[in-house]
């Protein structure tokens, strides 16, 4: 399989929070890997997450994300500047 990522991802195990609905809805998640351009997130009920949202990672600035792929308990996101 050819690698299609712009930047290499680094394994991670960080707590994150998916924020959507103008900040009125949140979902806790785990950041499983991360790069300058995106991340893989894991959580239950990811089917409820919209195609675009903000991601808050422990102690870091919020990043706006767009979903690139979905599985039952994982999603891959691209950071949008």
């Amino acid at each position: 399989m050819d690698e299609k990522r712009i930047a290499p991802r680094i394994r991670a195990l960080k707590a994150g929070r998916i924020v959507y609905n103008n900040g009125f809805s949140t979902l806790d998640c785990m950041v499983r890997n991360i790069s300058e351009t995106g991340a893989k997130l894991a959580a239950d009920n990811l089917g409820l997450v919209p195609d675009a949202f903000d991601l808050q990672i422990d102690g870091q600035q919020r990043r706006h994300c767009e979903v690139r792929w979905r599985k039952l308990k994982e999603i891959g996101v691209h950071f949008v500047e």
Side-chain angles (χ1 to χ4, degrees):
M1 181 186 295
D2 292 332
E3 181 64 44
K4 296 179 182 179
R5 292 186 183 121
I6 296 169
R9 294 204 178 178
I10 300 168
R11 285 187 186 186
L13 189 57
K14 297 181 178 187
R17 177 167 286 148
I18 295 169
V19 182
Y20 58 101
N21 194 17
N22 293 321
F24 290 104
S25 300
T26 63
L27 176 66
D28 291 333
C29 66
M30 292 301 298
V31 180
R32 304 301 288 208
N33 67 36
I34 192 165
S35 75
E36 293 178 14
T37 60
K40 178 168 76 170
L41 311 177
D44 292 329
N45 299 324
L46 287 173
L48 304 173
V49 174
D51 290 335
F53 57 85
D54 290 332
L55 175 64
Q56 177 72 51
I57 301 173
D58 280 343
Q60 296 181 15
Q61 184 177 354
R62 271 191 196 181
R63 306 280 307 263
H64 189 70
C65 301
E66 290 180 351
V67 175
R68 294 293 190 203
W69 57 266
R70 292 178 184 264
K71 292 186 178 177
L72 184 61
K73 293 187 177 190
E74 293 180 329
I75 56 175
V77 298
H78 175 74
F79 299 137
V80 179
E81 297 303 321

